[in-house]
């Protein structure tokens, strides 16, 4: 069985220490060197704006300093991944304040892109688009609703708004055919929240489960030769053996673990599988910086995956 040995681990560790931002370095230390989650929170707080939302190139494909729902969700997921659960903390209070007051939402949820993205270096998919928002905002809103249902006061207006959006999202799941990987990923998170918060009786949970299982299975790219490009590999939805999606996709996930170990460049970390395409020429320096930031973040993500599946020799 292919594993990450000590030499490989040290090569990856060296890259992180030499290239990562303080935030990603704090994440590395937390996950692999017994670092403190409070250090991650301190680093993350620098990206939070006065309105409570997040911007400032936290998500490296959008250099917009202004708060957006998408970048705020990026921060939420970091907090979730380090299991920092403290609704009384200022960083949590700010997020809730932003989600309550942002103009970038409507009765169907929160918006994926915002107009001011266009004023700063960004990947083409971060360009403001009303039409694109109609699809991509589904997955974004599913994850934001999950956060609100988990951490907010059930008597609050924000919680009630989330309940309303939840009903719309469940309806869209059964009526919308155009669902990209971000949307499918959002429903995976939402389904887990519905079960964890014991909300199954509100919906036909088993029917929803089967629908999402099929979406996950069909969304996974099973042609290994295409994994060098930006496609939905199994780990897009499965990050541990405890995942409910693992059973139906065990063989292809194990192949991805082998693939990751075999394709890592020597003395380096994995390359990212995307570029800014048409925007590369417009923002060449910014993309080069973004690419390096992403390599650190994605290396941490992949190392967590490999460790969760016991692919560490050390």
């Amino acid at each position: 069985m292919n594993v990450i040995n000590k030499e490989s681990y040290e090569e990856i560790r060296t890259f992180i220490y030499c290239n990562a931002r303080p935030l990603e370095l704090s994440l590395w230390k937390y996950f692999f060197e017994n670092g403190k989650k409070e250090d991650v929170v301190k680093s993350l707080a620098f990206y939070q704006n006065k309105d409570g939302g997040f911007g400032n190139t936290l998500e490296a494909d959008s250099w917009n300093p202004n708060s957006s729902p998408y970048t705020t969700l990026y921060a939420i997921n970091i907090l979730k991944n380090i299991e920092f659960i403290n609704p009384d903390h200022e960083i949590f209070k700010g997020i809730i304040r932003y989600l309550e007051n942002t103009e970038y939402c409507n009765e169907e949820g929160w918006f994926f892109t915002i107009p001011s993205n266009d004023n700063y270096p960004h990947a083409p998919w971060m360009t403001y688009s009303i039409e694109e928002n109609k699809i991509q905002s589904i997955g974004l809103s599913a994850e934001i609703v999950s956060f609100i249902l988990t951490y907010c006061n059930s008597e609050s207006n924000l919680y009630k708004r989330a309940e309303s959006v939840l009903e719309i999202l469940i309806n869209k799941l059964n009526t919308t055919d155009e669902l990209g990987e971000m949307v499918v990923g959002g429903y995976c998170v939402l389904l887990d929240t519905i079960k964890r918060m014991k909300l199954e009786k509100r919906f036909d949970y088993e029917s929803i489960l089967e629908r999402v299982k099929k979406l996950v299975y069909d969304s996974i790219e099973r042609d290994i030769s295409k994994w060098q490009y930006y496609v939905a590999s199994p780990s897009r939805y499965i990050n541990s053996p405890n995942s409910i999606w693992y059973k139906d996709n065990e063989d292809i996930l194990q192949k991805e673990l082998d693939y990751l170990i075999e394709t890592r460049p020597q003395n380096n970390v994995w390359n990212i599988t995307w570029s800014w395409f048409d925007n590369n020429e417009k923002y060449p320096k910014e993309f080069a910086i973004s690419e390096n930031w992403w390599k650190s973040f994605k290396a941490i993500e992949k190392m967590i995956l490999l460790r969760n599946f016991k692919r560490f020799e050390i």
Side-chain angles (χ1 to χ4, degrees):
M1 182 172 66
N2 290 333
V3 296
I4 292 289
N5 59 28
K6 182 172 177 57
E7 181 181 358
S8 297
Y9 175 87
E10 289 300 332
E11 289 177 359
I12 295 166
R13 180 174 182 265
T14 297
F15 181 94
I16 297 293
Y17 268 83
C18 291
N19 292 275
R21 297 184 292 185
L23 173 61
E24 281 77 33
L25 182 56
S26 68
L27 283 168
W28 172 269
K29 289 180 178 179
Y30 172 73
F31 284 112
F32 299 103
E33 298 180 6
N34 297 314
K36 297 178 181 179
K37 63 180 67 178
E38 289 78 13
D39 291 337
V40 178
V41 175
K42 287 179 183 177
S43 294
L44 184 61
F46 283 101
Y47 297 90
Q48 190 169 30
N49 290 315
K50 290 182 179 179
D51 62 7
F54 283 78
N56 304 301
T57 325
L58 172 61
E59 206 277 17
D61 282 336
S62 176
W63 287 45
N64 190 349
N66 300 296
S67 299
S68 75
Y70 179 68
T71 308
T72 301
L73 175 62
Y74 192 92
I76 287 171
N77 282 332
I78 289 174
L79 293 171
K80 185 170 73 171
N81 289 339
I82 65 170
E83 298 182 340
F84 185 80
I85 303 169
N86 185 357
D88 294 326
H89 193 279
E90 288 304 312
I91 204 165
F92 261 91
K93 290 180 179 179
I95 290 170
I96 292 169
R97 186 171 71 252
Y98 174 74
L99 295 177
E100 283 178 328
N101 297 307
T102 180
E103 63 182 300
Y104 301 120
C105 65
N106 59 21
E107 68 280 358
E108 294 189 356
W110 289 261
F111 301 164
F112 175 63
T113 60
I114 63 174
S116 59
N117 283 358
D118 297 357
N119 300 329
Y120 302 93
H122 63 280
W125 50 88
M126 300 308 300
T127 299
Y128 178 62
S129 169
I130 295 174
E131 288 304 311
E132 191 69 13
N133 275 353
K134 290 179 182 178
I135 299 300
Q136 300 302 341
S137 294
I138 297 173
L140 168 72
S141 296
E143 292 198 52
I144 289 177
V145 164
S146 297
F147 170 78
I148 294 169
L149 294 179
T150 303
Y151 298 111
C152 290
N153 186 333
S154 61
E155 300 300 318
S156 68
N157 290 332
L158 183 60
Y159 190 96
K160 293 173 183 176
R161 186 197 306 175
E163 286 185 308
S164 177
V165 174
L166 174 60
E167 297 282 349
I168 294 170
L169 290 170
I170 295 301
N171 183 59
K172 284 184 176 181
L173 177 62
N174 297 318
T175 58
T176 303
D177 293 325
E178 190 179 350
L179 298 171
E181 49 138 346
M182 181 178 177
V183 178
V184 176
Y187 278 115
C188 289
V189 174
L190 189 62
L191 198 68
D192 175 70
T193 301
I194 289 172
K195 186 173 183 61
R196 184 163 33 81
M197 302 304 292
K198 303 186 185 307
L199 301 174
E200 301 103 307
K201 293 182 179 179
R202 290 194 190 183
F203 311 100
D204 184 354
Y205 178 79
E206 291 303 320
S207 175
I208 296 170
L209 176 62
E210 291 307 309
R211 167 74 166 144
V212 176
K213 273 186 179 180
K214 186 175 188 308
L215 287 170
V216 168
Y217 188 90
D218 292 346
S219 178
I220 290 174
E221 176 57 65
R222 294 169 193 277
D223 183 345
I224 296 174
S225 68
K226 294 181 180 179
W227 287 353
Q228 62 183 304
Y229 308 113
Y230 188 78
V231 296
S233 64
S235 61
R236 176 64 182 84
Y237 312 108
I238 305 162
N239 63 6
S240 85
N242 298 323
S243 168
I244 62 173
W245 320 117
Y246 180 49
K247 182 180 178 181
D248 293 335
N249 300 285
E250 181 174 351
D251 289 344
I252 194 67
L253 189 282
Q254 290 295 330
K255 288 179 181 179
E256 183 180 5
L257 300 177
D258 289 331
Y259 175 86
L260 290 176
I261 295 168
E262 292 165 2
T263 60
R264 183 185 65 85
Q266 189 174 6
N267 296 314
N268 206 327
V269 297
W270 298 268
N271 294 316
I272 62 172
T273 57
W274 69 94
S275 77
W276 285 4
F277 301 102
D278 293 343
N279 281 3
N280 280 3
E281 292 185 10
K282 190 175 181 181
Y283 307 114
K285 293 180 180 179
E286 290 86 355
F287 173 68
I289 295 170
S290 171
E291 181 180 28
N292 213 45
W293 288 343
W294 272 123
K295 285 175 70 175
S296 295
F297 184 83
K298 287 298 181 180
I300 295 168
E301 194 175 74
K302 289 175 170 61
M303 290 290 279
I304 293 170
L305 175 73
L306 290 164
R307 185 175 64 182
N308 286 348
F309 283 91
K310 302 187 185 304
R311 290 300 191 99
F312 271 26
E313 182 181 81
I314 56 175

